[in-house]
Short mmCIF file of all heavy atoms in Angstrom, two decimals:
data_model
loop_
_atom_site.label_atom_id
_atom_site.label_comp_id
_atom_site.label_asym_id
_atom_site.label_seq_id
_atom_site.Cartn_x
_atom_site.Cartn_y
_atom_site.Cartn_z
N VAL A 1 7.68 9.81 7.14
CA VAL A 1 7.45 9.03 6.06
C VAL A 1 6.09 9.20 5.45
O VAL A 1 5.12 9.24 6.25
CB VAL A 1 7.59 7.51 6.48
CG1 VAL A 1 7.24 6.56 5.36
CG2 VAL A 1 9.03 7.22 7.02
N HIS A 2 5.99 9.31 4.19
CA HIS A 2 4.69 9.54 3.58
C HIS A 2 4.48 8.32 2.66
O HIS A 2 5.36 7.86 1.97
CB HIS A 2 4.78 10.84 2.73
CG HIS A 2 5.00 12.04 3.47
ND1 HIS A 2 4.18 12.69 4.22
CD2 HIS A 2 6.27 12.70 3.76
CE1 HIS A 2 4.73 13.71 4.84
NE2 HIS A 2 5.92 13.76 4.60
N LEU A 3 3.21 7.93 2.57
CA LEU A 3 2.82 6.73 1.79
C LEU A 3 1.62 7.09 1.05
O LEU A 3 0.67 7.78 1.44
CB LEU A 3 2.46 5.51 2.76
CG LEU A 3 3.47 5.15 3.83
CD1 LEU A 3 2.94 4.08 4.72
CD2 LEU A 3 4.70 4.56 3.07
N GLU A 4 1.66 6.56 -0.25
CA GLU A 4 0.46 6.75 -1.21
C GLU A 4 0.17 5.43 -1.90
O GLU A 4 1.03 4.90 -2.57
CB GLU A 4 0.72 7.91 -2.13
CG GLU A 4 -0.43 8.18 -3.03
CD GLU A 4 -0.32 9.45 -3.86
OE1 GLU A 4 0.82 9.91 -3.88
OE2 GLU A 4 -1.27 9.78 -4.47
N GLU A 5 -1.03 4.91 -1.70
CA GLU A 5 -1.47 3.60 -2.47
C GLU A 5 -2.12 4.00 -3.83
O GLU A 5 -2.59 5.09 -4.01
CB GLU A 5 -2.50 2.88 -1.62
CG GLU A 5 -1.99 2.63 -0.14
CD GLU A 5 -2.55 3.61 0.85
OE1 GLU A 5 -2.90 4.72 0.46
OE2 GLU A 5 -2.69 3.25 2.09
N SER A 6 -2.00 2.99 -4.62
CA SER A 6 -2.69 3.00 -5.89
C SER A 6 -3.00 1.64 -6.36
O SER A 6 -2.41 0.65 -5.92
CB SER A 6 -1.94 3.84 -6.95
OG SER A 6 -0.62 3.12 -7.18
N GLY A 7 -3.90 1.47 -7.29
CA GLY A 7 -4.12 0.20 -7.89
C GLY A 7 -5.37 -0.52 -7.50
O GLY A 7 -5.73 -1.63 -7.90
N GLY A 8 -6.15 0.08 -6.50
CA GLY A 8 -7.38 -0.49 -6.14
C GLY A 8 -8.51 -0.52 -7.30
O GLY A 8 -8.23 0.18 -8.28
N GLY A 9 -9.60 -1.17 -7.04
CA GLY A 9 -10.60 -1.18 -8.01
C GLY A 9 -11.64 -2.26 -7.75
O GLY A 9 -11.63 -2.87 -6.72
N SER A 10 -12.53 -2.56 -8.75
CA SER A 10 -13.49 -3.56 -8.68
C SER A 10 -13.16 -4.67 -9.59
O SER A 10 -12.77 -4.40 -10.71
CB SER A 10 -14.81 -2.89 -8.94
OG SER A 10 -15.31 -1.98 -8.12
N VAL A 11 -13.39 -5.85 -9.16
CA VAL A 11 -13.07 -7.09 -10.00
C VAL A 11 -14.02 -8.18 -9.60
O VAL A 11 -14.47 -8.23 -8.45
CB VAL A 11 -11.61 -7.41 -9.77
CG1 VAL A 11 -11.33 -7.84 -8.37
CG2 VAL A 11 -11.18 -8.49 -10.75
N GLN A 12 -14.27 -9.12 -10.54
CA GLN A 12 -15.00 -10.24 -10.26
C GLN A 12 -14.24 -11.35 -9.42
O GLN A 12 -12.96 -11.31 -9.55
CB GLN A 12 -15.61 -10.86 -11.49
CG GLN A 12 -16.69 -9.98 -12.09
CD GLN A 12 -17.51 -10.64 -13.17
OE1 GLN A 12 -16.93 -11.47 -13.83
NE2 GLN A 12 -18.71 -10.37 -13.34
N ALA A 13 -14.84 -12.14 -8.77
CA ALA A 13 -14.18 -13.16 -7.96
C ALA A 13 -13.35 -14.05 -8.97
O ALA A 13 -13.84 -14.36 -10.11
CB ALA A 13 -15.26 -14.10 -7.30
N GLY A 14 -12.13 -14.39 -8.57
CA GLY A 14 -11.20 -15.11 -9.35
C GLY A 14 -10.27 -14.25 -10.10
O GLY A 14 -9.25 -14.71 -10.67
N GLY A 15 -10.61 -12.96 -10.10
CA GLY A 15 -9.69 -11.95 -10.76
C GLY A 15 -8.51 -11.62 -10.02
O GLY A 15 -8.21 -12.13 -8.90
N SER A 16 -7.76 -10.65 -10.59
CA SER A 16 -6.50 -10.19 -9.89
C SER A 16 -6.42 -8.69 -9.95
O SER A 16 -6.98 -8.11 -10.78
CB SER A 16 -5.25 -10.75 -10.72
OG SER A 16 -5.30 -12.20 -10.76
N LEU A 17 -5.69 -8.23 -9.05
CA LEU A 17 -5.30 -6.78 -8.88
C LEU A 17 -3.96 -6.67 -8.36
O LEU A 17 -3.44 -7.49 -7.64
CB LEU A 17 -6.25 -5.97 -7.95
CG LEU A 17 -7.72 -5.74 -8.46
CD1 LEU A 17 -8.58 -5.09 -7.34
CD2 LEU A 17 -7.66 -4.73 -9.64
N ARG A 18 -3.28 -5.56 -8.73
CA ARG A 18 -2.00 -5.22 -8.15
C ARG A 18 -2.11 -3.92 -7.44
O ARG A 18 -2.38 -2.83 -8.10
CB ARG A 18 -0.84 -5.33 -9.15
CG ARG A 18 0.54 -5.28 -8.48
CD ARG A 18 1.60 -5.37 -9.45
NE ARG A 18 2.00 -4.09 -10.06
CZ ARG A 18 3.21 -3.76 -10.52
NH1 ARG A 18 4.15 -4.62 -10.41
NH2 ARG A 18 3.35 -2.62 -11.07
N LEU A 19 -1.73 -3.81 -6.16
CA LEU A 19 -1.65 -2.59 -5.44
C LEU A 19 -0.26 -2.19 -5.34
O LEU A 19 0.61 -2.85 -5.24
CB LEU A 19 -2.24 -2.74 -3.99
CG LEU A 19 -3.58 -3.32 -3.89
CD1 LEU A 19 -3.95 -3.37 -2.37
CD2 LEU A 19 -4.58 -2.48 -4.61
N SER A 20 -0.05 -0.79 -5.37
CA SER A 20 1.38 -0.18 -5.31
C SER A 20 1.28 0.84 -4.12
O SER A 20 0.27 1.41 -3.91
CB SER A 20 1.69 0.50 -6.62
OG SER A 20 1.76 -0.39 -7.64
N CYS A 21 2.37 0.88 -3.42
CA CYS A 21 2.56 1.89 -2.42
C CYS A 21 3.81 2.54 -2.56
O CYS A 21 4.94 1.93 -2.54
CB CYS A 21 2.53 1.22 -1.03
SG CYS A 21 2.91 2.36 0.29
N ALA A 22 3.85 3.91 -2.83
CA ALA A 22 4.92 4.70 -3.01
C ALA A 22 5.25 5.40 -1.73
O ALA A 22 4.35 5.95 -0.95
CB ALA A 22 4.76 5.77 -4.07
N ALA A 23 6.50 5.27 -1.30
CA ALA A 23 7.03 5.88 -0.02
C ALA A 23 8.01 6.99 -0.33
O ALA A 23 8.88 6.83 -1.21
CB ALA A 23 7.56 4.87 0.91
N TRP A 24 7.92 7.99 0.42
CA TRP A 24 8.96 9.15 0.36
C TRP A 24 9.15 9.72 1.72
O TRP A 24 8.27 9.60 2.58
CB TRP A 24 8.64 10.06 -0.76
CG TRP A 24 7.48 11.03 -0.55
CD1 TRP A 24 7.55 12.18 0.02
CD2 TRP A 24 6.17 10.69 -0.84
NE1 TRP A 24 6.31 12.73 0.12
CE2 TRP A 24 5.38 11.84 -0.41
CE3 TRP A 24 5.47 9.51 -1.29
CZ2 TRP A 24 3.99 11.93 -0.70
CZ3 TRP A 24 3.99 9.74 -1.55
CH2 TRP A 24 3.39 10.80 -1.20
N GLY A 25 10.26 10.44 1.84
CA GLY A 25 10.68 11.04 3.15
C GLY A 25 11.84 10.35 3.74
O GLY A 25 12.76 10.09 3.04
N SER A 26 11.70 10.01 5.02
CA SER A 26 12.86 9.46 5.80
C SER A 26 12.80 7.92 5.57
O SER A 26 12.67 7.08 6.48
CB SER A 26 12.73 9.79 7.28
OG SER A 26 12.64 11.19 7.46
N LEU A 27 13.12 7.56 4.32
CA LEU A 27 13.06 6.11 3.99
C LEU A 27 14.13 5.28 4.74
O LEU A 27 13.96 4.20 4.99
CB LEU A 27 13.16 5.93 2.54
CG LEU A 27 12.16 6.60 1.64
CD1 LEU A 27 12.39 6.21 0.20
CD2 LEU A 27 10.82 6.28 2.09
N PHE A 28 15.23 5.95 5.11
CA PHE A 28 16.33 5.21 5.81
C PHE A 28 15.86 4.69 7.09
O PHE A 28 16.42 3.70 7.67
CB PHE A 28 17.54 6.14 6.05
CG PHE A 28 17.26 7.33 6.96
CD1 PHE A 28 17.48 7.16 8.34
CD2 PHE A 28 16.72 8.45 6.47
CE1 PHE A 28 17.16 8.17 9.26
CE2 PHE A 28 16.44 9.51 7.25
CZ PHE A 28 16.55 9.36 8.69
N SER A 29 14.83 5.24 7.68
CA SER A 29 14.32 4.77 9.05
C SER A 29 13.38 3.64 8.95
O SER A 29 13.09 3.02 10.03
CB SER A 29 13.66 6.03 9.70
OG SER A 29 12.41 6.34 9.01
N ILE A 30 12.90 3.28 7.69
CA ILE A 30 11.96 2.11 7.68
C ILE A 30 12.71 0.86 7.81
O ILE A 30 13.61 0.53 7.13
CB ILE A 30 11.19 2.24 6.31
CG1 ILE A 30 10.43 3.53 6.21
CG2 ILE A 30 10.31 1.06 6.11
CD1 ILE A 30 9.84 3.76 4.84
N ASP A 31 11.95 -0.07 8.55
CA ASP A 31 12.53 -1.45 8.71
C ASP A 31 11.58 -2.44 8.26
O ASP A 31 11.96 -3.60 8.03
CB ASP A 31 12.88 -1.68 10.21
CG ASP A 31 11.86 -1.43 11.14
OD1 ASP A 31 10.63 -1.61 10.79
OD2 ASP A 31 12.10 -0.89 12.25
N ALA A 32 10.37 -2.12 7.88
CA ALA A 32 9.34 -2.99 7.27
C ALA A 32 8.30 -2.22 6.68
O ALA A 32 7.94 -1.11 7.07
CB ALA A 32 8.88 -3.99 8.29
N MET A 33 7.64 -2.82 5.64
CA MET A 33 6.48 -2.22 4.96
C MET A 33 5.48 -3.31 4.78
O MET A 33 5.80 -4.46 4.80
CB MET A 33 6.84 -1.51 3.79
CG MET A 33 7.75 -0.29 3.86
SD MET A 33 7.98 0.54 2.33
CE MET A 33 6.39 1.19 1.92
N GLY A 34 4.31 -3.01 4.50
CA GLY A 34 3.14 -4.01 4.27
C GLY A 34 1.93 -3.45 3.92
O GLY A 34 1.73 -2.29 3.63
N TRP A 35 0.89 -4.33 3.99
CA TRP A 35 -0.48 -4.05 3.77
C TRP A 35 -1.37 -4.51 4.79
O TRP A 35 -1.24 -5.69 5.28
CB TRP A 35 -0.86 -4.61 2.39
CG TRP A 35 -0.12 -4.03 1.20
CD1 TRP A 35 0.98 -4.47 0.71
CD2 TRP A 35 -0.51 -2.85 0.46
NE1 TRP A 35 1.40 -3.68 -0.29
CE2 TRP A 35 0.50 -2.73 -0.58
CE3 TRP A 35 -1.63 -2.02 0.47
CZ2 TRP A 35 0.37 -1.66 -1.44
CZ3 TRP A 35 -1.67 -1.00 -0.40
CH2 TRP A 35 -0.66 -0.88 -1.41
N TYR A 36 -2.33 -3.70 5.15
CA TYR A 36 -3.40 -4.10 6.12
C TYR A 36 -4.69 -3.84 5.25
O TYR A 36 -4.70 -3.13 4.34
CB TYR A 36 -3.39 -3.25 7.32
CG TYR A 36 -2.35 -3.75 8.35
CD1 TYR A 36 -0.97 -3.44 8.13
CD2 TYR A 36 -2.69 -4.34 9.55
CE1 TYR A 36 -0.11 -3.97 9.04
CE2 TYR A 36 -1.76 -4.69 10.47
CZ TYR A 36 -0.46 -4.46 10.19
OH TYR A 36 0.44 -4.91 11.19
N ARG A 37 -5.75 -4.31 5.75
CA ARG A 37 -7.10 -4.12 5.17
C ARG A 37 -8.18 -4.07 6.27
O ARG A 37 -8.02 -4.59 7.38
CB ARG A 37 -7.40 -5.19 4.12
CG ARG A 37 -7.73 -6.56 4.70
CD ARG A 37 -7.85 -7.56 3.55
NE ARG A 37 -8.21 -8.91 4.12
CZ ARG A 37 -8.26 -10.01 3.35
NH1 ARG A 37 -8.08 -9.95 2.02
NH2 ARG A 37 -8.51 -11.20 3.91
N GLN A 38 -9.23 -3.33 5.92
CA GLN A 38 -10.36 -3.20 6.77
C GLN A 38 -11.56 -3.40 6.01
O GLN A 38 -11.88 -2.54 5.05
CB GLN A 38 -10.27 -1.93 7.54
CG GLN A 38 -11.34 -1.69 8.62
CD GLN A 38 -11.06 -0.51 9.48
OE1 GLN A 38 -10.21 0.39 9.17
NE2 GLN A 38 -11.61 -0.49 10.67
N ALA A 39 -12.44 -4.34 6.41
CA ALA A 39 -13.74 -4.48 5.80
C ALA A 39 -14.77 -3.78 6.58
O ALA A 39 -14.59 -3.46 7.76
CB ALA A 39 -14.13 -6.00 5.77
N PRO A 40 -15.91 -3.34 5.93
CA PRO A 40 -16.94 -2.74 6.71
C PRO A 40 -17.41 -3.37 7.96
O PRO A 40 -17.66 -4.52 7.93
CB PRO A 40 -18.05 -2.53 5.68
CG PRO A 40 -17.45 -2.65 4.36
CD PRO A 40 -16.29 -3.58 4.61
#
């Protein structure tokens, strides 16, 4: 399974962003997807 994110950027507090994750490959095997984050 291959994953590619897009949609990140810089925004001021109170603003909005939409992230996208495109998946390809053995998609039939996926039972869940999601997002994690890591701060410095």
Side-chain angles (χ1 to χ4, degrees):
V1 174
H2 304 277
L3 305 171
E4 184 172 9
E5 306 96 336
S6 61
S10 297
V11 65
Q12 289 192 326
S16 299
L17 284 173
R18 190 178 82 154
L19 306 182
S20 299
C21 174
W24 69 94
S26 301
L27 302 183
F28 64 89
S29 65
I30 296 175
D31 49 41
M33 293 184 69
W35 294 90
Y36 283 69
R37 68 186 180 189
Q38 187 168 16

